[in-house]
Amino acid sequence: MRRRIKNCSFPSCRPPAGRRGLPALLAALVLLSGCGGGKDDSLRIGAALYTQDDTFISAMAQDLEGLVREAESGTGKKITLFIADGKSSQSTQMDQVDRFLARGCDVLCVNLVDRTAAAVIADKAEAEGVPLVFFNRQPVEEDIQRWDGIYYVGADARESGELQGELVLDAWRRDREALDRNGDGVLQYVMLEGEPGHQDSLLRTEYSIKALTDGGVEVEKLANEAANWNRAQAAARMAQWLEEFGDGIETVFSNNDDMALGAIDALADTPRDRWPLIVGVDATAPALEAVASGQLYGTVHNDGRGQAQAILDLTLALWNGEDPAQAVDLEEGHYVWLPYRQVTLENLEEFWKE
Ligand code: GAL
Ligand code: CA
């Protein structure tokens, strides 16, 4: 694999904007030390987010910032993390990637807006010899295999669906009467889905329900709709469903916590004696509070901090020219998978501390 720090040639490796005002000689020295055969002590990471307006992603970006600062003081090396907000526009994100490359970033970390854009970004990075770490929004296998400098850090969406379904299955087995309010032996549910086509939406939707049917529970879907991971959109869907089905909703499955909190907002707006059982995914801070208060039955911890740590470990290894498999648990040469974990009132303590 080519690595930019060893191979980049003047002038494609430019210093960050702040350095461009330096006198010519000093600037040339900076460039020489950054691009020559010797070891550059300054690492520049470009991280592109699909949108910063997403609770899980913005928390993950904050984790990455914190970990970068720790690594800086631990290694004594200068590490600059550039973070770009794609604002849900793939063309905006494409420009941001171009700018990161023009700025001379040593490693790119990309949370794709549209996973079908992976190939174009992979080709740009390969042309510049800049390693590329995709995260959270998984490109298809074929795109990951385009070049050996491409990686993916994420979590297996199918596992989160199964764990979410098992939370409800356990509740059903433990106290079926509480859940099966109309006593018909069938679990009536609604499903709040993330973005259409996102693998986390598709797989969580499918495998949460499969865990129940595999466990021998008969289910009936009253309604399902995409709310794009978004709390306000989910509240609007839930308000509509409450009008339509009222207390007939026995369980609310939500592909993430923000939408589960939206369902809770809608329930709180229309006072009622009993609430349906609600489950989410992510274990965001406000979701943990909702578990503590009993409004959210449970969630599935999506290890954003672990993913941020893996991104950084991978980045440092690549930059140092080390074997990435020594730094992270690498599968098939390209993938790092972080496990999901169930969260309920019973083990909530473990997650508060994180
Ligand atoms: C999921 C997460 C969602 C949302 C989405 C964005 O893994 O559960 O809350 O952040 O990623 O791609
Ligand atoms: Ca029922």
Side-chain angles (χ1 to χ4, degrees):
M1 186 199 355
R2 283 178 297 141
R3 293 180 58 239
R4 171 176 214 132
I5 2 200
K6 285 189 181 133
N7 298 322
C8 73
S9 56
F10 187 90
S12 75
C13 178
R14 291 209 300 269
R19 285 191 187 151
R20 283 187 200 130
L22 288 176
L25 180 63
L26 184 53
L29 283 175
V30 169
L31 283 172
L32 283 174
S33 63
C35 302
K39 192 85 196 72
D40 183 352
D41 262 356
S42 152
L43 164 62
R44 277 161 293 187
I45 308 171
L49 311 181
Y50 94 93
T51 174
Q52 213 145 9
D53 195 18
D54 174 305
T55 308
F56 175 72
I57 293 297
S58 68
M60 199 177 155
Q62 273 174 23
D63 284 332
L64 187 59
E65 278 176 330
L67 291 167
V68 161
R69 280 196 298 273
E70 277 174 28
E72 244 192 337
S73 51
T75 60
K77 306 232 160 105
K78 170 124 191 73
I79 308 177
T80 309
L81 173 66
F82 300 102
I83 292 187
D85 179 358
K87 298 185 188 299
S88 295
S89 155
Q90 190 55 62
S91 71
T92 300
Q93 185 171 70
M94 225 34 122
D95 292 346
Q96 292 166 341
V97 165
D98 287 341
R99 270 204 300 279
F100 282 156
L101 289 170
R103 259 175 165 174
C105 283
D106 301 302
V107 179
L108 290 189
C109 304
V110 179
N111 173 219
L112 289 162
V113 175
D114 172 359
R115 67 200 292 240
T116 61
V120 179
I121 295 179
D123 291 349
K124 284 176 192 279
E126 183 179 7
E128 297 283 336
V130 175
L132 174 60
V133 182
F134 289 113
F135 64 97
N136 171 263
R137 293 156 83 94
Q138 189 184 346
V140 293
E141 173 78 25
E142 215 182 308
D143 291 340
I144 293 283
Q145 299 293 350
R146 277 179 106 79
W147 179 40
D148 62 1
I150 302 178
Y151 300 87
Y152 177 71
V153 173
D156 176 7
R158 172 179 169 157
E159 185 190 7
S160 54
E162 285 168 353
L163 291 175
Q164 189 189 56
E166 283 161 15
L167 280 174
V168 180
L169 181 63
D170 288 347
W172 178 270
R173 287 183 173 155
R174 222 181 299 161
D175 190 357
R176 177 164 156 181
E177 270 166 31
L179 212 50
D180 184 16
R181 291 185 194 177
N182 64 357
D184 66 351
V186 178
L187 182 75
Q188 277 79 21
Y189 73 93
V190 292
M191 178 74 70
L192 285 164
E193 297 170 0
E195 288 164 272
H198 191 308
Q199 64 270 52
D200 290 358
S201 310
L202 299 170
L203 296 172
R204 287 175 188 166
T205 297
E206 178 181 352
Y207 285 95
S208 53
I209 298 305
K210 190 165 182 298
L212 281 154
T213 52
D214 284 355
V217 180
E218 203 184 322
V219 297
E220 182 192 354
K221 181 172 72 185
L222 299 177
N224 65 303
E225 218 171 319
N228 300 302
W229 309 121
N230 182 281
R231 183 167 179 161
Q233 289 183 33
R237 307 278 175 277
M238 185 68 188
Q240 213 177 311
W241 293 338
L242 283 170
E243 267 181 35
E244 209 171 325
F245 309 109
D247 289 338
I249 303 171
E250 294 174 343
T251 293
V252 179
F253 289 89
S254 176
N255 287 171
N256 81 342
D257 283 344
D258 262 12
M259 297 189 297
L261 292 167
I264 290 171
D265 294 340
L267 281 157
D269 272 357
T270 50
R272 56 191 66 244
D273 297 337
R274 289 173 69 192
W275 282 28
L277 188 104
I278 306 170
V279 283
V281 177
D282 281 341
T284 61
L288 293 180
E289 275 167 31
V291 173
S293 72
Q295 292 177 316
L296 183 64
Y297 174 72
T299 182
V300 179
H301 179 248
N302 191 359
D303 190 0
R305 189 179 165 83
Q307 292 172 42
Q309 182 73 64
I311 290 169
L312 183 61
D313 291 346
L314 201 49
T315 297
L316 289 170
L318 292 164
W319 185 56
N320 286 322
E322 293 160 9
D323 177 5
Q326 299 298 315
V328 291
D329 221 342
L330 207 57
E331 284 186 30
E332 298 161 71
H334 293 272
Y335 293 92
V336 184
W337 298 110
L338 274 293
Y340 283 105
R341 279 190 296 158
Q342 288 174 324
V343 189
T344 60
L345 208 44
E346 284 162 30
N347 65 348
L348 188 59
E349 277 292 300
E350 294 168 33
F351 297 89
W352 279 132
K353 284 182 217 133
E354 283 185 6

